Amino acid sequence: MQRRSLRIPFFVGRRLLPLLVAGSLLGACSAGVTPRQMEMDPEITYGLREQKLLFEKRMEFDQLKEDFLLTRDPVFLAKMNGTIERTEKDIDKARAFLDLQPPYHRGIAKIRWETAEAALRQGEQHLCEMLLVTSELHFLYGDPAAARASLEKLDKRFVGDSFSGYREKADLLLKELTSESEG
């Protein structure tokens, strides 16, 4: 079987989190909110904590992927699926938190909304990438039916323009799965 590369485009998380925090601080300063107010605001703190939790889930997933690639132990694929499920729950919490934030256009309320929105956006991107990686690993080394299920889930859940590249890759993998099952 020919080995395929696992190149998936994503913005490295180590660079993303500091940029999000810096952007929040710059936005806060321009909105007349002091850094001290941001530190003391429980809603901003909660949004930043959600971002951090989602980022940690992604790092855990990446470690499990590396462990699987080194050992080919299917236990790591199962753990990756568990990480995906926990990430989905965290995204649901981030979505609920964003829904509680009215989209004000200035002041601390704007920073709260932007922080909540960034947590949701970051989590959805991580989840989309995690589903794609898991699908590809199942396709290459594991269960084609699990790969198909993950790809179909990705295609149904992530419909926005920002996920079009991921959906295209998922469609290509689905076509390849179909052609291999027929051949």
Side-chain angles (χ1 to χ4, degrees):
M1 179 179 222
Q2 182 180 357
R3 185 178 170 127
R4 296 178 183 98
S5 71
L6 292 173
R7 294 184 189 154
I8 295 180
F10 78 100
F11 192 72
V12 178
R14 292 183 199 141
R15 296 179 191 158
L16 181 63
L17 195 56
L19 287 175
L20 288 172
V21 172
S24 293
L25 285 173
L26 287 173
C29 292
S30 67
V33 179
T34 66
R36 179 79 176 145
Q37 285 175 307
M38 285 185 52
E39 286 176 18
M40 300 300 292
D41 189 82
E43 293 182 44
I44 292 173
T45 302
Y46 182 82
L48 291 172
R49 190 171 359 135
E50 282 299 311
Q51 288 178 21
K52 183 179 179 212
L53 285 173
L54 289 163
F55 176 73
E56 288 172 352
K57 295 281 188 313
R58 178 56 194 255
M59 298 309 294
E60 176 185 348
F61 178 86
D62 288 342
Q63 182 62 53
L64 290 168
K65 177 188 79 169
E66 293 300 319
D67 291 342
F68 174 76
L69 291 173
L70 288 173
T71 65
R72 301 290 195 268
D73 188 346
V75 167
F76 294 113
L77 283 174
K79 287 182 178 183
M80 289 167 69
N81 289 329
T83 303
I84 287 172
E85 289 174 13
R86 289 192 322 273
T87 302
E88 288 174 329
K89 289 178 183 177
D90 284 343
I91 288 172
D92 291 341
K93 286 188 336 187
R95 182 174 287 111
F97 182 62
L98 178 62
D99 290 343
L100 293 173
Q101 302 299 320
Y104 290 115
H105 302 290
R106 43 186 291 241
I108 199 155
K110 178 182 178 185
I111 305 305
R112 290 174 181 159
W113 188 82
E114 288 173 346
T115 304
E117 182 185 40
L120 178 62
R121 211 175 38 242
Q122 175 186 359
E124 286 181 334
Q125 181 181 359
H126 288 325
L127 179 61
C128 184
E129 292 167 355
M130 290 161 69
L131 285 170
L132 194 55
V133 168
T134 303
S135 301
E136 199 164 5
L137 289 174
H138 277 297
F139 175 67
L140 295 173
Y141 306 106
D143 180 13
R148 181 179 307 282
S150 292
L151 291 169
E152 289 171 352
K153 183 178 186 178
L154 185 151
D155 195 45
K156 289 177 186 171
R157 180 169 181 157
F158 300 101
V159 294
D161 289 339
S162 59
F163 297 106
S164 63
Y166 298 112
R167 283 194 318 276
E168 288 174 14
K169 175 114 178 168
D171 288 341
L172 290 174
L173 282 171
L174 274 171
K175 287 177 185 175
E176 202 169 329
L177 269 169
T178 304
S179 68
E180 282 196 11
S181 66
E182 291 173 354

